[in-house]
Amino acid sequence: MARLRQLLLAVAFLTRLPVGWLLPAQVLPLGSALWAFPLVGMLIGAIAGLPILIFGSGMLQAALAVGLAAWLTGALHEDALADFADAAGGRDRESRLAIMRDSRIGSFGTMALICVTAIRIAALAHLPLAALVGAAGVARLMPVLMLRLMHPARADGLGHGTDRPQVPDLLAAILLGCVALLVAPAPLMAGAAALIAAWVVARRAIRMVGGHTGDVLGAAAILAETAAICAMALISLP
């Protein structure tokens, strides 16, 4: 029962699916649900990829899948990517953290969203549903790894408030991330691309703000998913 509640908490956090009424009234720690993030990622990919499943691969189907994914997640990771990109224009650590908390979007964030969205659509146009399921699943493993390996950049906020995953939960998340990759074509290339993208974000975040924030984690997830999709698309091209 505890694991089911943790899974529902992960679904409620990462998606707009109406599962909140199934959770108990008390506040549940998000850290306990981190193990389920890759599983929820696979669910997101499966639902978002329905246009590809029904109508086959193509540019329009890919655009519909990307739009459906953004709606399904409430553009959670897209918002994080925009904030993280805008923070690059900050003068120092404090200004960058302030920019991440600003609800307005700047030119860096706008261009980041345009480029990533265009790349995702172009890559998905050549891929089957399984590729999106696998990429979305392994991408949600990246924030779990970063929470374990990095320190929070500020003393409040989502990054600080989420506990580091315990070893059993971390291993469960890694196992589910590997299962997600096995579903997808070119699993080794996709997994390597996702890890490299998350590593680049982590390195950049440490230099910019000294650790992770919720925006850093979200940016790592969407960039890891995009990198995995691109790797699979490049392998599938004639």
mmCIF file with all atom_site columns, all heavy atoms in Angstrom, residues 131-149:
data_model
loop_
_atom_site.group_PDB
_atom_site.id
_atom_site.type_symbol
_atom_site.label_atom_id
_atom_site.label_alt_id
_atom_site.label_comp_id
_atom_site.label_asym_id
_atom_site.label_entity_id
_atom_site.label_seq_id
_atom_site.pdbx_PDB_ins_code
_atom_site.Cartn_x
_atom_site.Cartn_y
_atom_site.Cartn_z
_atom_site.occupancy
_atom_site.B_iso_or_equiv
_atom_site.pdbx_formal_charge
_atom_site.auth_seq_id
_atom_site.auth_comp_id
_atom_site.auth_asym_id
_atom_site.auth_atom_id
_atom_site.pdbx_PDB_model_num
ATOM 1   N N   . ALA A 1 131 ? 10.167 4.479  -28.728 1.00 0.00 ? 131 ALA A N   1
ATOM 2   C CA  . ALA A 1 131 ? 11.275 5.404  -28.515 1.00 0.00 ? 131 ALA A CA  1
ATOM 3   C C   . ALA A 1 131 ? 10.895 6.503  -27.528 1.00 0.00 ? 131 ALA A C   1
ATOM 4   O O   . ALA A 1 131 ? 11.687 6.855  -26.645 1.00 0.00 ? 131 ALA A O   1
ATOM 5   C CB  . ALA A 1 131 ? 11.694 6.017  -29.852 1.00 0.00 ? 131 ALA A CB  1
ATOM 6   N N   . LEU A 1 132 ? 9.703  7.034  -27.658 1.00 0.00 ? 132 LEU A N   1
ATOM 7   C CA  . LEU A 1 132 ? 9.252  8.079  -26.742 1.00 0.00 ? 132 LEU A CA  1
ATOM 8   C C   . LEU A 1 132 ? 9.045  7.520  -25.343 1.00 0.00 ? 132 LEU A C   1
ATOM 9   O O   . LEU A 1 132 ? 9.386  8.166  -24.347 1.00 0.00 ? 132 LEU A O   1
ATOM 10  C CB  . LEU A 1 132 ? 7.958  8.712  -27.259 1.00 0.00 ? 132 LEU A CB  1
ATOM 11  C CG  . LEU A 1 132 ? 7.370  9.847  -26.422 1.00 0.00 ? 132 LEU A CG  1
ATOM 12  C CD1 . LEU A 1 132 ? 8.395  10.961 -26.209 1.00 0.00 ? 132 LEU A CD1 1
ATOM 13  C CD2 . LEU A 1 132 ? 6.116  10.410 -27.069 1.00 0.00 ? 132 LEU A CD2 1
ATOM 14  N N   . VAL A 1 133 ? 8.504  6.315  -25.244 1.00 0.00 ? 133 VAL A N   1
ATOM 15  C CA  . VAL A 1 133 ? 8.313  5.680  -23.936 1.00 0.00 ? 133 VAL A CA  1
ATOM 16  C C   . VAL A 1 133 ? 9.660  5.501  -23.242 1.00 0.00 ? 133 VAL A C   1
ATOM 17  O O   . VAL A 1 133 ? 9.821  5.825  -22.060 1.00 0.00 ? 133 VAL A O   1
ATOM 18  C CB  . VAL A 1 133 ? 7.597  4.326  -24.090 1.00 0.00 ? 133 VAL A CB  1
ATOM 19  C CG1 . VAL A 1 133 ? 7.558  3.588  -22.748 1.00 0.00 ? 133 VAL A CG1 1
ATOM 20  C CG2 . VAL A 1 133 ? 6.182  4.526  -24.622 1.00 0.00 ? 133 VAL A CG2 1
ATOM 21  N N   . GLY A 1 134 ? 10.642 4.964  -23.971 1.00 0.00 ? 134 GLY A N   1
ATOM 22  C CA  . GLY A 1 134 ? 11.951 4.747  -23.383 1.00 0.00 ? 134 GLY A CA  1
ATOM 23  C C   . GLY A 1 134 ? 12.652 6.028  -22.999 1.00 0.00 ? 134 GLY A C   1
ATOM 24  O O   . GLY A 1 134 ? 13.235 6.139  -21.911 1.00 0.00 ? 134 GLY A O   1
ATOM 25  N N   . ALA A 1 135 ? 12.606 7.029  -23.882 1.00 0.00 ? 135 ALA A N   1
ATOM 26  C CA  . ALA A 1 135 ? 13.277 8.300  -23.601 1.00 0.00 ? 135 ALA A CA  1
ATOM 27  C C   . ALA A 1 135 ? 12.640 9.016  -22.416 1.00 0.00 ? 135 ALA A C   1
ATOM 28  O O   . ALA A 1 135 ? 13.343 9.557  -21.550 1.00 0.00 ? 135 ALA A O   1
ATOM 29  C CB  . ALA A 1 135 ? 13.233 9.191  -24.840 1.00 0.00 ? 135 ALA A CB  1
ATOM 30  N N   . ALA A 1 136 ? 11.322 9.022  -22.363 1.00 0.00 ? 136 ALA A N   1
ATOM 31  C CA  . ALA A 1 136 ? 10.632 9.690  -21.254 1.00 0.00 ? 136 ALA A CA  1
ATOM 32  C C   . ALA A 1 136 ? 10.901 8.985  -19.935 1.00 0.00 ? 136 ALA A C   1
ATOM 33  O O   . ALA A 1 136 ? 11.011 9.630  -18.884 1.00 0.00 ? 136 ALA A O   1
ATOM 34  C CB  . ALA A 1 136 ? 9.133  9.741  -21.533 1.00 0.00 ? 136 ALA A CB  1
ATOM 35  N N   . GLY A 1 137 ? 11.025 7.668  -19.974 1.00 0.00 ? 137 GLY A N   1
ATOM 36  C CA  . GLY A 1 137 ? 11.297 6.923  -18.750 1.00 0.00 ? 137 GLY A CA  1
ATOM 37  C C   . GLY A 1 137 ? 12.699 7.157  -18.220 1.00 0.00 ? 137 GLY A C   1
ATOM 38  O O   . GLY A 1 137 ? 12.889 7.488  -17.041 1.00 0.00 ? 137 GLY A O   1
ATOM 39  N N   . VAL A 1 138 ? 13.714 7.017  -19.084 1.00 0.00 ? 138 VAL A N   1
ATOM 40  C CA  . VAL A 1 138 ? 15.084 7.188  -18.618 1.00 0.00 ? 138 VAL A CA  1
ATOM 41  C C   . VAL A 1 138 ? 15.363 8.643  -18.256 1.00 0.00 ? 138 VAL A C   1
ATOM 42  O O   . VAL A 1 138 ? 16.174 8.923  -17.360 1.00 0.00 ? 138 VAL A O   1
ATOM 43  C CB  . VAL A 1 138 ? 16.081 6.678  -19.683 1.00 0.00 ? 138 VAL A CB  1
ATOM 44  C CG1 . VAL A 1 138 ? 16.174 7.635  -20.871 1.00 0.00 ? 138 VAL A CG1 1
ATOM 45  C CG2 . VAL A 1 138 ? 17.459 6.467  -19.069 1.00 0.00 ? 138 VAL A CG2 1
ATOM 46  N N   . ALA A 1 139 ? 14.686 9.585  -18.905 1.00 0.00 ? 139 ALA A N   1
ATOM 47  C CA  . ALA A 1 139 ? 14.901 10.998 -18.596 1.00 0.00 ? 139 ALA A CA  1
ATOM 48  C C   . ALA A 1 139 ? 14.484 11.328 -17.170 1.00 0.00 ? 139 ALA A C   1
ATOM 49  O O   . ALA A 1 139 ? 15.116 12.164 -16.510 1.00 0.00 ? 139 ALA A O   1
ATOM 50  C CB  . ALA A 1 139 ? 14.125 11.868 -19.580 1.00 0.00 ? 139 ALA A CB  1
ATOM 51  N N   . ARG A 1 140 ? 13.431 10.673 -16.667 1.00 0.00 ? 140 ARG A N   1
ATOM 52  C CA  . ARG A 1 140 ? 12.976 10.952 -15.292 1.00 0.00 ? 140 ARG A CA  1
ATOM 53  C C   . ARG A 1 140 ? 13.877 10.310 -14.258 1.00 0.00 ? 140 ARG A C   1
ATOM 54  O O   . ARG A 1 140 ? 13.737 10.587 -13.058 1.00 0.00 ? 140 ARG A O   1
ATOM 55  C CB  . ARG A 1 140 ? 11.537 10.479 -15.102 1.00 0.00 ? 140 ARG A CB  1
ATOM 56  C CG  . ARG A 1 140 ? 10.469 11.516 -15.423 1.00 0.00 ? 140 ARG A CG  1
ATOM 57  C CD  . ARG A 1 140 ? 10.453 11.864 -16.872 1.00 0.00 ? 140 ARG A CD  1
ATOM 58  N NE  . ARG A 1 140 ? 9.465  12.881 -17.235 1.00 0.00 ? 140 ARG A NE  1
ATOM 59  C CZ  . ARG A 1 140 ? 9.230  13.236 -18.480 1.00 0.00 ? 140 ARG A CZ  1
ATOM 60  N NH1 . ARG A 1 140 ? 9.906  12.690 -19.486 1.00 0.00 ? 140 ARG A NH1 1
ATOM 61  N NH2 . ARG A 1 140 ? 8.329  14.163 -18.758 1.00 0.00 ? 140 ARG A NH2 1
ATOM 62  N N   . LEU A 1 141 ? 14.799 9.471  -14.694 1.00 0.00 ? 141 LEU A N   1
ATOM 63  C CA  . LEU A 1 141 ? 15.810 8.950  -13.771 1.00 0.00 ? 141 LEU A CA  1
ATOM 64  C C   . LEU A 1 141 ? 16.854 10.009 -13.457 1.00 0.00 ? 141 LEU A C   1
ATOM 65  O O   . LEU A 1 141 ? 17.430 10.008 -12.363 1.00 0.00 ? 141 LEU A O   1
ATOM 66  C CB  . LEU A 1 141 ? 16.479 7.719  -14.396 1.00 0.00 ? 141 LEU A CB  1
ATOM 67  C CG  . LEU A 1 141 ? 17.720 7.160  -13.693 1.00 0.00 ? 141 LEU A CG  1
ATOM 68  C CD1 . LEU A 1 141 ? 17.381 6.692  -12.279 1.00 0.00 ? 141 LEU A CD1 1
ATOM 69  C CD2 . LEU A 1 141 ? 18.316 6.016  -14.511 1.00 0.00 ? 141 LEU A CD2 1
ATOM 70  N N   . MET A 1 142 ? 17.105 10.923 -14.374 1.00 0.00 ? 142 MET A N   1
ATOM 71  C CA  . MET A 1 142 ? 18.182 11.896 -14.200 1.00 0.00 ? 142 MET A CA  1
ATOM 72  C C   . MET A 1 142 ? 18.008 12.784 -12.971 1.00 0.00 ? 142 MET A C   1
ATOM 73  O O   . MET A 1 142 ? 18.966 12.996 -12.215 1.00 0.00 ? 142 MET A O   1
ATOM 74  C CB  . MET A 1 142 ? 18.344 12.736 -15.470 1.00 0.00 ? 142 MET A CB  1
ATOM 75  C CG  . MET A 1 142 ? 18.677 11.916 -16.710 1.00 0.00 ? 142 MET A CG  1
ATOM 76  S SD  . MET A 1 142 ? 20.148 10.895 -16.488 1.00 0.00 ? 142 MET A SD  1
ATOM 77  C CE  . MET A 1 142 ? 19.529 9.309  -17.060 1.00 0.00 ? 142 MET A CE  1
ATOM 78  N N   . PRO A 1 143 ? 16.813 13.337 -12.705 1.00 0.00 ? 143 PRO A N   1
ATOM 79  C CA  . PRO A 1 143 ? 16.668 14.130 -11.478 1.00 0.00 ? 143 PRO A CA  1
ATOM 80  C C   . PRO A 1 143 ? 16.920 13.317 -10.212 1.00 0.00 ? 143 PRO A C   1
ATOM 81  O O   . PRO A 1 143 ? 17.425 13.852 -9.224  1.00 0.00 ? 143 PRO A O   1
ATOM 82  C CB  . PRO A 1 143 ? 15.202 14.603 -11.547 1.00 0.00 ? 143 PRO A CB  1
ATOM 83  C CG  . PRO A 1 143 ? 14.856 14.560 -12.989 1.00 0.00 ? 143 PRO A CG  1
ATOM 84  C CD  . PRO A 1 143 ? 15.604 13.397 -13.541 1.00 0.00 ? 143 PRO A CD  1
ATOM 85  N N   . VAL A 1 144 ? 16.583 12.040 -10.243 1.00 0.00 ? 144 VAL A N   1
ATOM 86  C CA  . VAL A 1 144 ? 16.823 11.182 -9.074  1.00 0.00 ? 144 VAL A CA  1
ATOM 87  C C   . VAL A 1 144 ? 18.322 11.042 -8.836  1.00 0.00 ? 144 VAL A C   1
ATOM 88  O O   . VAL A 1 144 ? 18.803 11.158 -7.694  1.00 0.00 ? 144 VAL A O   1
ATOM 89  C CB  . VAL A 1 144 ? 16.168 9.795  -9.281  1.00 0.00 ? 144 VAL A CB  1
ATOM 90  C CG1 . VAL A 1 144 ? 16.363 8.934  -8.034  1.00 0.00 ? 144 VAL A CG1 1
ATOM 91  C CG2 . VAL A 1 144 ? 14.692 9.931  -9.600  1.00 0.00 ? 144 VAL A CG2 1
ATOM 92  N N   . LEU A 1 145 ? 19.081 10.800 -9.889  1.00 0.00 ? 145 LEU A N   1
ATOM 93  C CA  . LEU A 1 145 ? 20.532 10.697 -9.758  1.00 0.00 ? 145 LEU A CA  1
ATOM 94  C C   . LEU A 1 145 ? 21.138 12.011 -9.275  1.00 0.00 ? 145 LEU A C   1
ATOM 95  O O   . LEU A 1 145 ? 22.038 12.018 -8.423  1.00 0.00 ? 145 LEU A O   1
ATOM 96  C CB  . LEU A 1 145 ? 21.148 10.310 -11.103 1.00 0.00 ? 145 LEU A CB  1
ATOM 97  C CG  . LEU A 1 145 ? 20.779 8.931  -11.660 1.00 0.00 ? 145 LEU A CG  1
ATOM 98  C CD1 . LEU A 1 145 ? 21.393 8.746  -13.042 1.00 0.00 ? 145 LEU A CD1 1
ATOM 99  C CD2 . LEU A 1 145 ? 21.220 7.826  -10.723 1.00 0.00 ? 145 LEU A CD2 1
ATOM 100 N N   . MET A 1 146 ? 20.644 13.117 -9.797  1.00 0.00 ? 146 MET A N   1
ATOM 101 C CA  . MET A 1 146 ? 21.193 14.418 -9.414  1.00 0.00 ? 146 MET A CA  1
ATOM 102 C C   . MET A 1 146 ? 20.879 14.752 -7.958  1.00 0.00 ? 146 MET A C   1
ATOM 103 O O   . MET A 1 146 ? 21.706 15.348 -7.255  1.00 0.00 ? 146 MET A O   1
ATOM 104 C CB  . MET A 1 146 ? 20.662 15.493 -10.361 1.00 0.00 ? 146 MET A CB  1
ATOM 105 C CG  . MET A 1 146 ? 21.182 15.332 -11.788 1.00 0.00 ? 146 MET A CG  1
ATOM 106 S SD  . MET A 1 146 ? 20.350 16.384 -13.007 1.00 0.00 ? 146 MET A SD  1
ATOM 107 C CE  . MET A 1 146 ? 21.036 17.984 -12.568 1.00 0.00 ? 146 MET A CE  1
ATOM 108 N N   . LEU A 1 147 ? 19.699 14.381 -7.508  1.00 0.00 ? 147 LEU A N   1
ATOM 109 C CA  . LEU A 1 147 ? 19.352 14.603 -6.104  1.00 0.00 ? 147 LEU A CA  1
ATOM 110 C C   . LEU A 1 147 ? 20.269 13.808 -5.178  1.00 0.00 ? 147 LEU A C   1
ATOM 111 O O   . LEU A 1 147 ? 20.565 14.241 -4.060  1.00 0.00 ? 147 LEU A O   1
ATOM 112 C CB  . LEU A 1 147 ? 17.896 14.209 -5.850  1.00 0.00 ? 147 LEU A CB  1
ATOM 113 C CG  . LEU A 1 147 ? 16.842 15.237 -6.258  1.00 0.00 ? 147 LEU A CG  1
ATOM 114 C CD1 . LEU A 1 147 ? 15.457 14.605 -6.268  1.00 0.00 ? 147 LEU A CD1 1
ATOM 115 C CD2 . LEU A 1 147 ? 16.865 16.436 -5.303  1.00 0.00 ? 147 LEU A CD2 1
ATOM 116 N N   . ARG A 1 148 ? 20.697 12.667 -5.639  1.00 0.00 ? 148 ARG A N   1
ATOM 117 C CA  . ARG A 1 148 ? 21.591 11.832 -4.839  1.00 0.00 ? 148 ARG A CA  1
ATOM 118 C C   . ARG A 1 148 ? 23.024 12.359 -4.847  1.00 0.00 ? 148 ARG A C   1
ATOM 119 O O   . ARG A 1 148 ? 23.735 12.313 -3.823  1.00 0.00 ? 148 ARG A O   1
ATOM 120 C CB  . ARG A 1 148 ? 21.556 10.391 -5.370  1.00 0.00 ? 148 ARG A CB  1
ATOM 121 C CG  . ARG A 1 148 ? 22.483 9.415  -4.645  1.00 0.00 ? 148 ARG A CG  1
ATOM 122 C CD  . ARG A 1 148 ? 22.011 9.118  -3.245  1.00 0.00 ? 148 ARG A CD  1
ATOM 123 N NE  . ARG A 1 148 ? 22.994 8.312  -2.519  1.00 0.00 ? 148 ARG A NE  1
ATOM 124 C CZ  . ARG A 1 148 ? 22.793 7.832  -1.296  1.00 0.00 ? 148 ARG A CZ  1
ATOM 125 N NH1 . ARG A 1 148 ? 21.648 8.066  -0.666  1.00 0.00 ? 148 ARG A NH1 1
ATOM 126 N NH2 . ARG A 1 148 ? 23.717 7.119  -0.697  1.00 0.00 ? 148 ARG A NH2 1
ATOM 127 N N   . LEU A 1 149 ? 23.470 12.856 -5.987  1.00 0.00 ? 149 LEU A N   1
ATOM 128 C CA  . LEU A 1 149 ? 24.885 13.177 -6.171  1.00 0.00 ? 149 LEU A CA  1
ATOM 129 C C   . LEU A 1 149 ? 25.227 14.646 -5.966  1.00 0.00 ? 149 LEU A C   1
ATOM 130 O O   . LEU A 1 149 ? 26.394 14.981 -5.778  1.00 0.00 ? 149 LEU A O   1
ATOM 131 C CB  . LEU A 1 149 ? 25.326 12.750 -7.579  1.00 0.00 ? 149 LEU A CB  1
ATOM 132 C CG  . LEU A 1 149 ? 25.205 11.257 -7.885  1.00 0.00 ? 149 LEU A CG  1
ATOM 133 C CD1 . LEU A 1 149 ? 25.530 10.981 -9.343  1.00 0.00 ? 149 LEU A CD1 1
ATOM 134 C CD2 . LEU A 1 149 ? 26.111 10.443 -6.967  1.00 0.00 ? 149 LEU A CD2 1
#
